[in-house]
Amino acid sequence: MTEKDVLIQNIQGHKARIGVIGLGYVGLPLVLRFGEEHFSVIGFDVDAEKVRKLNAGESYIRHIPAARLQTLMKERKFEATTDFGRLAEPDCIIICVPTPLTAKKDPDLQYIEKTADSILKTLRKGQLISLESTTYPGTTEEILLERFRDTGLEVGKDYFLVFSPEREDPGNPKFSTRTIPKIVGGTTPACLEAGKALYGEVIDRIVTVSSTRAAELVKLLENIYRCVNIALVNELKLLADRMGIDIWEVIDAAATKPFGYTPFYPGPGLGGQCIPIDPFYLSWKAKEYDFSTRFIQLAGEVNTSIPYYVVDRIASALNDHGKAIRGSKILVLGVAYKKDVDDVRESPALEIMELLQHKGAVLSYSDPYIPQLHKMRAYDFSHMRSAELTEQTIAHADLVLIATDHSSVDYQQVVDHARIVVDTRNATRAVVRGRDKIYRA
Ligand SMILES: NC(=O)c1ccc[n+]([C@@H]2O[C@H](COP(=O)([O-])OP(=O)(O)OC[C@H]3O[C@@H](n4cnc5c(N)ncnc54)[C@H](O)[C@@H]3O)[C@@H](O)[C@H]2O)c1
């Protein structure tokens, strides 16, 4: 039997051991999915505190219940480690490390590079390596394959390499890791076959493409599509506002068209780990081909301008009440990048807070899922703790800014007790009393 046949047989018998590198929003759901199908999973992370928590059966992500993790621990199906020397143990290694941007908005590939260096030390015959981190077309071959050549092992014969983009939508109850179709592209046909076999055991539908580069571009296309369409509605929101038209009403009506239209919604700016970042991976790579990705550029410009627009709307709302931003008490409601998640990465709320702080606002925030803020790459609000949302905290503020529309908040209560409400998410759409206090932004 060939290495590939042995590997596939072990995968299909659920005897293959799975290694997941990077136990974050993407890695952890994968650990659970494989574990729940009775694979034995070993998780690798550089963050010793996360590893400690996971080994104690604690989940640090709100929408991932600790009980699921504890079941796997009881069945001895999962352990986490910081010891990368153990990378020879798993038969299949799935890489889910971060792919952020540098301060100059270039791809920051250090996490993938470090991971590739670690795997290189222990790569052995019969292993399948799958990269899931979002990145530009060519990364799997240029970073992983290139390094692995040093081992003398032959790809597609001795070991197998695929790219399979993650499509996690944290907190979305309609889809789970199992039901979201999975794209796989392999370096060789044998690699693809092994990759398809692996994911086919835990995910309902596998969609194969002809190369790792195609698979890398699939993920970017999906995210660029969102980024460009969000920019489009954000720009139209500015125009509709000037024309005195309610953009939300327009979008809801357009969304009744049963074909050819997908609704996208405006907001306070782009947020999250993917949409504000991933498109720039492609524009960066495109330069190598003397190609300028103009849609990405334009969408980036529009989306980055939105927090400034929100601040202008706040200034004009306060102005209507004879106040200035300087010295006004502004309560920011929701700082997570989207509703019902506990993730503040790239959240536009933080950008707006930064702008307001520069203008002398006295800031506080309330978010049931973010008890405190930490120092981040671009912002430092580490002194701030979430205020409990009570009638008193609402009434104490000169203005309440709804930056994220968490479902658990009673927006009628907010409007009842607030002096001014600036709503960037149409969270107050069902509010009946006090509509004259609400400014859309
Ligand atoms: N969060 C999402 O919704 C989402 C969706 C689709 C794709 N992605 C992509 O998936 C990748 C991971 O994103 P995430 O949201 O899970 O990030 P995350 O920050 O939640 O998790 C990454 C984990 O990797 C660990 N890590 C960092 N460097 C490491 C290293 N050298 N070795 C081992 N572990 C290391 C971190 O400690 C962290 O636990 C990114 O490329 C991202 O663009 C994310």
Side-chain angles (χ1 to χ4, degrees):
M1 284 221 293
T2 62
E3 292 293 348
K4 181 196 75 185
D5 294 338
V6 175
L7 176 63
I8 292 180
Q9 197 176 61
N10 282 337
I11 289 172
Q12 287 170 345
H14 293 209
K15 292 197 187 79
R17 237 183 143 193
I18 312 296
V20 175
I21 307 182
L23 302 171
Y25 282 79
V26 166
L28 209 46
L30 270 176
V31 164
L32 295 174
R33 187 76 280 272
F34 278 98
E36 284 163 3
E37 294 294 339
H38 310 292
F39 282 93
S40 162
V41 187
I42 174 163
F44 296 85
D45 205 293
V46 285
D47 184 336
E49 179 55 15
K50 258 182 209 172
V51 165
R52 186 198 64 74
K53 276 193 180 155
L54 293 172
N55 280 333
E58 294 169 30
S59 165
Y60 66 94
I61 298 176
R62 198 184 78 81
H63 63 271
I64 299 180
R68 285 179 70 190
L69 201 59
Q70 286 157 9
T71 308
L72 298 194
M73 317 284 292
K74 264 188 225 129
E75 293 170 3
R76 297 186 177 281
K77 287 290 174 205
F78 173 64
E79 66 170 306
T81 181
T82 52
D83 179 3
F84 288 73
R86 295 181 60 190
L87 276 170
E89 292 177 31
D91 303 293
C92 306
I93 298 176
I94 302 177
I95 306 169
C96 310
V97 296
T99 42
L101 294 173
T102 63
K104 290 188 174 159
K105 294 221 184 258
D106 289 338
D108 181 357
L109 288 170
Q110 58 164 313
Y111 305 97
I112 295 187
E113 287 167 348
K114 281 184 193 146
T115 303
D117 289 338
S118 305
I119 296 174
L120 176 64
K121 289 186 193 139
T122 53
L123 187 67
R124 61 163 170 84
K125 280 191 175 180
Q127 276 187 320
L128 165 64
I129 316 295
S130 174
L131 178 61
E132 293 214 7
S133 305
T134 309
T135 181
Y136 57 76
T139 311
T140 309
E141 290 180 359
E142 290 161 22
I143 295 185
L144 299 177
L145 185 61
E146 269 312 302
R147 276 182 172 66
F148 296 164
R149 284 191 207 288
D150 292 349
T151 59
L153 296 173
E154 191 180 328
V155 69
K157 182 168 164 276
D158 299 324
Y159 79 98
F160 308 92
L161 185 58
V162 297
F163 183 82
S164 180
E166 179 52 51
R167 284 169 153 174
E168 184 75 8
D169 185 13
N172 185 335
K174 285 196 207 134
F175 304 102
S176 66
T177 310
R178 183 174 68 78
T179 59
I180 301 172
K182 193 95 172 97
I183 306 289
V184 186
T187 302
T188 70
C191 294
L192 180 61
E193 213 185 313
K196 193 177 168 200
L198 173 68
Y199 289 111
E201 292 303 316
V202 295
I203 288 166
D204 291 349
R205 183 167 169 228
I206 310 300
V207 180
T208 59
V209 292
S210 62
S211 64
T212 52
R213 298 167 83 233
E216 286 157 339
L217 189 54
V218 169
K219 174 69 189 181
L220 292 180
L221 169 62
E222 291 167 7
N223 283 356
I224 291 163
Y225 169 79
R226 283 191 63 74
C227 177
V228 167
N229 279 288
I230 292 169
L232 176 67
V233 288
N234 271 334
E235 187 176 69
L236 290 179
K237 166 176 86 168
L238 306 189
L239 174 64
D241 173 31
R242 214 173 276 188
M243 294 172 118
I245 300 170
D246 178 351
I247 190 70
W248 294 90
E249 181 191 1
V250 172
I251 294 170
D252 285 348
T256 60
K257 186 178 178 188
F259 49 86
Y261 181 80
T262 305
F264 285 85
Y265 298 96
L270 277 191
Q273 164 68 18
C274 302
I275 314 294
I277 293 175
D278 303 345
F280 294 104
Y281 268 70
L282 190 62
S283 19
W284 179 85
K285 189 67 177 173
K287 287 185 199 141
E288 208 178 291
Y289 294 81
D290 289 334
F291 194 95
S292 153
T293 50
R294 286 178 290 164
F295 273 98
I296 296 174
Q297 204 60 35
L298 182 58
E301 276 169 34
V302 173
N303 287 328
T304 4
S305 74
I306 298 298
Y308 293 86
Y309 163 77
V310 173
V311 170
D312 283 350
R313 291 288 288 161
I314 290 171
S316 97
L318 285 168
N319 185 58
D320 286 350
H321 291 74
K323 284 183 178 288
I325 289 181
R326 180 164 304 281
S328 284
K329 296 187 282 294
I330 298 181
L331 171 66
V332 179
L333 194 46
V335 290
Y337 80 88
K338 70 171 185 178
K339 70 160 143 181
D340 304 337
V341 300
D342 57 356
D343 191 350
V344 289
R345 287 177 294 178
E346 308 293 325
S347 174
L350 300 178
E351 176 65 20
I352 294 169
M353 285 166 70
E354 178 95 344
L355 295 172
L356 289 171
Q357 188 162 276
H358 274 297
K359 290 186 185 295
V362 181
L363 293 175
S364 58
Y365 85 91
S366 178
D367 189 314
Y369 308 126
I370 318 282
Q372 70 182 86
L373 291 171
H374 299 278
K375 188 169 172 6
M376 301 174 73
R377 204 159 33 94
Y379 309 102
D380 187 3
F381 292 110
S382 51
H383 58 286
M384 293 183 77
R385 305 273 176 284
S386 173
E388 199 188 333
L389 194 64
T390 62
E391 291 176 15
Q392 288 74 24
T393 41
I394 298 167
H396 182 68
D398 294 304
L399 182 147
V400 177
L401 168 70
I402 301 175
T404 306
D405 49 342
H406 289 311
S407 312
S408 57
V409 173
D410 177 348
Y411 292 100
Q412 181 65 66
Q413 185 208 24
V414 172
V415 175
D416 281 346
H417 299 284
R419 292 178 224 174
I420 309 172
V421 176
V422 173
D423 181 2
T424 64
R425 304 274 192 178
N426 203 21
T428 54
R429 69 168 64 208
V431 164
V432 182
R433 294 181 303 274
R435 291 211 65 88
D436 54 327
K437 297 182 196 171
I438 303 170
Y439 291 73
R440 299 272 186 74

